[in-house]
Every structure is written in C-alpha cells, then in structure tokens.
Amino acid sequence: MRDSSPRRAGRRGHRPLTGLAAVAALGVALTACGAEDTGPGDGADTFGDALSGELTVFAAASLTDVFAEIADDFQERHPDVAVTFNFAGSSELAQQINAGAPADVFAAANTATMEQVVEGEGLDADWAGEHGEHGLVFATNTLRIAVPPDNPAGIGDLADLAGDGVQAAFCAEEVPCGAATTTAVGASGLEITPVTYEEDVRAVLTKVELGEVDAGLVYSTDVISAEGRVEGLEFPEAEEAVNDYPIGVLANSGDSALAAAWIEAVTSAEGAAVLTGAGFGAP
C-alpha cells in the first residue's frame, strides 16, 4: 500500500499511512470544519439533502493528483464530509477489498482489476444495477516513455529500451500499468528486460525522476504531473494498450449514498475537466 491520506477542504494537508496500519485506520478520518448549509452549492447534493460523514476511497496510484483536486472541490461543497484515500496499485487494492478491508468506493486503472472485485461480489448491487455490473468507466489513460530531463541516454523510441546497457523500469505485470506495458511491448515484437519491476506506476516515475534508470514506462498523466522533472515520449505501440478506468460503490460501504455522490463528482463536468486537464482521456 503506497499512500492513504485524509483530504480536507482548502488543502489542509496529508497524513500518510502505510502497511497494516493504513488498513486499520482507513475508517478513521478527521471531521471537517462545519459550515451552514445554504443550498446545493454549499453542503447539499443535487437533491437538496445535506451530505455528512466519512468517505473512504480506494484508488489507483495514477489517480493521486486528480482525486486530491476533486476532493478539495467536493469538500468545499460538502464541508461536513471527511474523505480518506488509499492510493496503491489497483491489484493490491482489489485484494484488500476482497479480503474485507473497509472502503466505500473503488477506482481501478483497468477493467480486469475491477472484475476481480465484481467476481468477489464486492460492488453494491443496487448501484451496479443502475450504473453497470462491471463499474462505470470514467476515464482512459495511455502509456508514455518517461526519461530524465535532457534524456541523457538518448532514448527515442521503444526499441531503444532493448539496447545494450539501457536501464529501464517497468510496472509489475500484475498491476494495470504492467499489464499495459506487456501488451505494448508484445505489440512491438521487441524483447526488453527491465532492471526493475515496481509495485505501481508512481514508483516507476520516481525511479526516472531520481535518475536511477534511463527510462520507464508510465502513463501520460504521470508525465504531466512530473512536468519539469521528466520528459515524456509517445510511441505508437501505446495505442494497443489504452487503459479504461472504472469506478464503483462497494458492497461494504458504510454510506452508499455518500459514495454515489463522490462518483457523481468524479463523473460531473467539473470532474471531467480536472481529469482531462491532467491528461486523462474521455471514456
């Protein structure tokens, strides 16, 4: 598990949680500062009902920045809601959900990982019956080759990663970015052996940022989030491995209405603008 952080209105800070302590603490979030509800734009949903309580969102690591931004807007509208995030590799999160970890919403970086939760009867049946038995796809993402600034190894395309002495970082095959990498490399017909397999896409990005590898395969959104710290290169094989991002209300949610309200915020025009601004594609 890589990062669990309670979000508060006005970007009041993070409280990282790791390991088993993160799972144990997922149900505990700080109570947001109260405010009088004056209408749908201030503490009320579109039906005029005030929202309050604690919301736990399990989300793919590649959603870290955009979900934090959406949470700030969400909590400005609903100041009596406290949102806690658990960001990690989607496959790890699916395992935690299927093992009974408390959470209200799951947002995965590919449909295959969401299917693991569906098969474990982890989605709320009423929500799924209305929005889709396999979750609701809200965004897409595409791989890029990330290199350190000035590209010291002179990487130009995917074939260069197969060169002698080139050190590349990939995501582990069981996580969505790793599955996409396997598909893209397979489409190229190349044999590329990375020097490291990382647990999620943000770990690959960090390797590139620190100059520990010559290149890494990450999402286009990660390149944008690390502007100035890495450079991103498009490559044609990436079009063979576009990831769909599904989201859903979980069966063990303590407040399915609040969870549904969060998903409405993500899929709203405002949420879509945040996603596209960060480099995500429309579903």
Side-chain angles (χ1 to χ4, degrees), residues 23-24 26-27 56 58 96 100-104 250 252:
V23 175
L26 284 172
T56 300
F58 278 31
Q96 292 173 17
D104 300 293
L250 294 172
N252 64 354

Side-chain angles (χ1 to χ4, degrees), residues 59-63 90 106-114 141 175-177 219 242-246:
S62 51
L63 293 166
S90 295
F106 180 41
N110 68 358
T111 54
T113 308
M114 177 62 80
N141 215 345
V175 299
C177 63
Y219 295 121
V242 177
N243 278 18
D244 289 333
Y245 279 57

Side-chain angles (χ1 to χ4, degrees), residues 32 39 97:
I97 292 166

Side-chain angles (χ1 to χ4, degrees), residues 10 17 25 31 41 54 82-84 87 89-90 98 100 106 110 121 164 172 190 198 210 229 242 246 259 274:
L17 303 174
T31 302
E54 299 175 357
V83 183
T84 298
F87 294 112
S90 295
N98 286 342
F106 180 41
N110 68 358
E121 299 183 351
D164 292 339
L190 297 166
E198 298 296 321
L210 295 176
R229 303 191 301 277
V242 177
V274 173

Side-chain angles (χ1 to χ4, degrees), residues 125-146:
D126 290 338
W127 183 91
E130 182 177 352
H131 297 90
E133 295 181 356
H134 304 280
L136 178 65
V137 174
F138 65 96
T140 64
N141 215 345
T142 308
L143 292 174
R144 295 287 183 268
I145 302 171

